[in-house]
Amino acid sequence: MVQLVWLPAKGKPAGTAAFWFNPEHITALTPRFSDAGTTVTLHVRMKLQGLPEGDYWLGNYPSTDDANAGWQNFLTSLSQDPGAAG
């Protein structure tokens, strides 16, 4: 069964997908944290088979610890068994 994971759409309501992809197509994955003083922005630098490398927004967080938790949640979403739900 194909598993699709979504990336959030910046500036859109929570739960709005900007991009869907199959985690099996990931060839490179790197987190990027930007601390603006009041918020920490989390991006993922990701290369998928057949696409150019891209920088995708994952969210704004109140602290570095929260952004790290957001990164861990993203990694967990990549490894979830699609047959386990329901």
Side-chain angles (χ1 to χ4, degrees):
M1 177 180 279
V2 174
Q3 173 194 4
L4 295 177
V5 174
W6 61 278
L7 297 173
K10 185 175 183 179
K12 302 287 183 184
T16 302
F19 184 71
W20 290 86
F21 65 96
N22 183 339
E24 292 179 10
H25 296 167
I26 295 172
T27 60
L29 192 66
T30 307
R32 284 194 329 100
F33 300 91
S34 301
D35 190 343
T38 56
T39 60
V40 177
T41 302
L42 173 59
H43 285 88
V44 60
R45 189 92 178 140
M46 184 167 56
K47 170 70 175 98
L48 298 170
Q49 294 170 357
L51 294 176
E53 188 174 57
D55 198 31
Y56 302 96
W57 179 81
L58 293 180
N60 295 322
Y61 296 89
S63 71
T64 302
D65 288 341
D66 291 327
N68 279 321
W71 175 247
Q72 292 305 315
N73 288 339
F74 176 69
L75 292 177
T76 298
S77 74
L78 298 178
S79 62
Q80 288 181 345
D81 178 4

